[in-house]
Amino acid sequence: MEHHIKIVYCTQCRWLLRSAWMAQELLTTFDEEISELTLKPGQGGIFQIWINDELVWSRQEAGRFPEIKELKQLVRDRLAPDKDLGHSDKKK
């Protein structure tokens, strides 16, 4: 199955660099699972992460940005549940 991730970020807030860094981290970690990753400019303080048309993170709802560790866990849980994230994985 092809998996698409979309990061919608606020241009007014200058969140492009944060979005690009998160995109790079996800593409590096999930190079075999992600078929496409899109950065989409928005406005009004928006910062959302979508996986296959499912909203998995909203800065407005969470009140903060995701830590990269938790973002990788969110992506892993949806795209490759058996994938070991090494030092980014949850303590069990």
Side-chain angles (χ1 to χ4, degrees):
M1 178 178 183
E2 291 193 2
H3 297 289
H4 176 255
I5 295 179
K6 177 173 57 175
I7 300 175
V8 184
Y9 66 94
C10 180
T11 57
Q12 296 167 311
C13 300
R14 305 276 188 227
W15 290 338
L16 173 59
L17 287 178
R18 179 188 303 263
S19 302
W21 171 69
M22 288 186 177
Q24 179 246 323
E25 285 288 324
L26 293 177
L27 288 168
T28 300
T29 303
F30 300 99
D31 59 331
E32 295 181 11
E33 291 83 10
I34 297 173
S35 56
E36 182 178 10
L37 193 146
T38 304
L39 297 179
K40 183 176 180 184
Q43 295 184 356
I46 193 168
F47 188 87
Q48 297 176 338
I49 299 174
W50 296 77
I51 301 175
N52 299 330
D53 298 321
E54 175 192 1
L55 179 63
V56 297
W57 190 273
S58 167
R59 182 183 163 276
Q60 183 177 6
E61 290 176 16
R64 63 183 177 85
F65 291 99
E67 297 293 327
I68 197 64
K69 177 180 176 179
E70 73 186 315
L71 179 56
K72 287 181 180 183
Q73 291 168 353
L74 281 170
V75 172
R76 186 269 316 273
D77 292 349
R78 284 162 178 78
L79 303 188
D82 296 328
K83 186 175 185 82
D84 181 11
L85 294 178
H87 69 277
S88 290
D89 223 340
K90 298 175 186 174
K91 299 282 186 203
K92 295 185 179 182

